[in-house]
DNA sequence: GAATCGATGGTCT
DNA sequence: GACCATCGATTCT
C-alpha cells in the first residue's frame, strides 16, 4: 500500500478533496495502527472563501494553511474539539481539505475505547469524532503527513467512481449566499459513517 | 425523528 | 468580549 505523496496534495483543492474519497487515513499510536477510509471531506480555498479560517488573512492559528502542501492543519474549536485538515496547493496560498468522516478499518477496539464505547456508527462520523478516535490533537498541527516517519499519514486505496460520489454544500459554515451554496463537500453515497 | 441548547476555551478585534 | 468548519443530551412532536 503506497502513501500519498506531496505531489498529490500540491494540486487544485477540489481535485484533491474529490480524490481523497476512498483513501486511507492512518495513525500510528504507540506502535498500534489505527486507520479508516475517508468517506466525507470539505474543501476550503483561498482568502476569498468566507467560510475559510483564512478569510481574514494570515494569523498565527491559520498559518499552516499558507504552508507546504501535505502538512496537517489541526485546530481546536468550541472549547473541546479538534478538527483535521490536509493542506493543499502551493505554499503561500491558503487552502486545505477538512476530513469530516471515516469508515473505521484497523484498530477499531482502540477507537471504541477512545470514544467511550459509543456505537460504531458514531466512532468516526464527524470531524471532531474522528480526531478523538485517532488521537489527533494540536500536536499534529503543521505536522508533515508525507514524512517517512510520520505518525499520521495517508495511504492509497481504491478510487471512488463518479456515480458513487456525492457533492453538496458544506456543513456548518457561515457566509454570503455564494459561500453557503458552494458545492465543496464530497462524500461516498450511502456510506454508514457520514457525519449526517 | 427534529429542534434546541449548553459545554468550554482558544483566538482575534 | 464575541465568535466558533462540533458534539451529545434534552426536549419537544
Amino acid at each position: 500500500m503506497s502513501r500519498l505523496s506531496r505531489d498529490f496534495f500540491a494540486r487544485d483543492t477540489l481535485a484533491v478533496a474529490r480524490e481523497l474519497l476512498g483513501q486511507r487515513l492512518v495513525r500510528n499510536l504507540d506502535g498500534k495502527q489505527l486507520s479508516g477510509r475517508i468517506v466525507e471531506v470539505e474543501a476550503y480555498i483561498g482568502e476569498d472563501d468566507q467560510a475559510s479560517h483564512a478569510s481574514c488573512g494570515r494569523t498565527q492559528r491559520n498559518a499552516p494553511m499558507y504552508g507546504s502542501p501535505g502538512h496537517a492543519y489541526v485546530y481546536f474549536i468550541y472549547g473541546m474539539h479538534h478538527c483535521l485538515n490536509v493542506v493543499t496547493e502551493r505554499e503561500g496560498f491558503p487552502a486545505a481539505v477538512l476530513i469530516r468522516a471515516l469508515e473505521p478499518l484497523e484498530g477499531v477496539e482502540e477507537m471504541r475505547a477512545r470514544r467511550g464505547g459509543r456505537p460504531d456508527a458514531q466512532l468516526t462520523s464527524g470531524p471532531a469524532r474522528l480526531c478523538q478516535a485517532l488521537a489527533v490533537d494540536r500536536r499534529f498541527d503543521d505536522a508533515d503527513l508525507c514524512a517517512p516517519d510520520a505518525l499520521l499519514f495517508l495511504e492509497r486505496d481504491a478510487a471512488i467512481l463518479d456515480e458513487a460520489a456525492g457533492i453538496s454544500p458544506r456543513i456548518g459554515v457561515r457566509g454570503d449566499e455564494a459561500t453557503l451554496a458552494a458545492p465543496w463537500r464530497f462524500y461516498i453515497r450511502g456510506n454508514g459513517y457520514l457525519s449526517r
Side-chain angles (χ1 to χ4, degrees):
Chain A
M1 197 96 58
S2 71
R3 295 195 185 189
L4 300 187
S5 67
R6 203 168 315 282
D7 290 346
F8 177 89
F9 301 103
R11 297 182 296 141
D12 173 78
T13 304
L14 293 177
V16 174
R18 167 66 182 81
E19 291 174 34
L20 273 174
L21 290 181
Q23 310 308 308
R24 293 183 182 219
L25 178 66
V26 182
R27 167 79 161 106
N28 182 327
L29 180 63
D30 302 325
K32 268 183 289 192
Q33 182 147 306
L34 313 184
S35 70
R37 186 169 164 248
I38 296 174
V39 300
E40 180 182 344
V41 298
E42 283 176 359
Y44 290 86
I45 310 172
E47 294 183 344
D48 293 336
D49 177 3
Q50 292 184 0
S52 171
H53 288 172
S55 64
C56 295
R58 183 178 188 139
T59 65
Q60 185 165 26
R61 179 207 204 195
N62 66 26
M65 288 187 76
Y66 290 78
S68 172
H71 284 240
Y73 167 46
V74 179
Y75 64 88
F76 184 65
I77 191 78
Y78 296 114
M80 62 189 85
H81 299 302
H82 295 278
C83 295
L84 168 68
N85 294 257
V86 181
V87 176
T88 58
E89 309 217 18
R90 67 181 189 278
E91 188 154 357
F93 183 81
V97 176
L98 172 68
I99 310 297
R100 284 196 59 91
L102 302 176
E103 177 180 324
L105 291 174
E106 301 170 280
V108 178
E109 276 305 329
E110 177 73 22
M111 294 188 206
R112 289 188 185 118
R114 299 196 56 82
R115 291 281 297 135
R118 291 208 157 68
D120 283 6
Q122 294 172 29
L123 291 182
T124 52
S125 54
R129 289 172 176 176
L130 71 90
C131 281
Q132 187 177 22
L134 298 192
V136 171
D137 58 26
R138 274 174 298 180
R139 293 193 306 260
F140 284 98
D141 190 30
D142 208 27
D144 185 0
L145 308 178
C146 302
D149 60 347
L151 297 178
L152 184 66
F153 54 92
L154 292 107
E155 275 185 349
R156 172 76 64 189
D157 203 325
I160 301 302
L161 299 175
D162 281 345
E163 49 264 41
I167 306 179
S168 83
R170 295 170 291 183
I171 292 174
V173 301
R174 307 188 196 287
D176 62 19
E177 298 263 332
T179 301
L180 298 183
W184 291 356
R185 169 175 176 254
F186 300 85
Y187 59 97
I188 297 180
R189 285 205 158 97
N191 187 274
Y193 294 89
L194 299 178
S195 67
R196 59 164 61 174

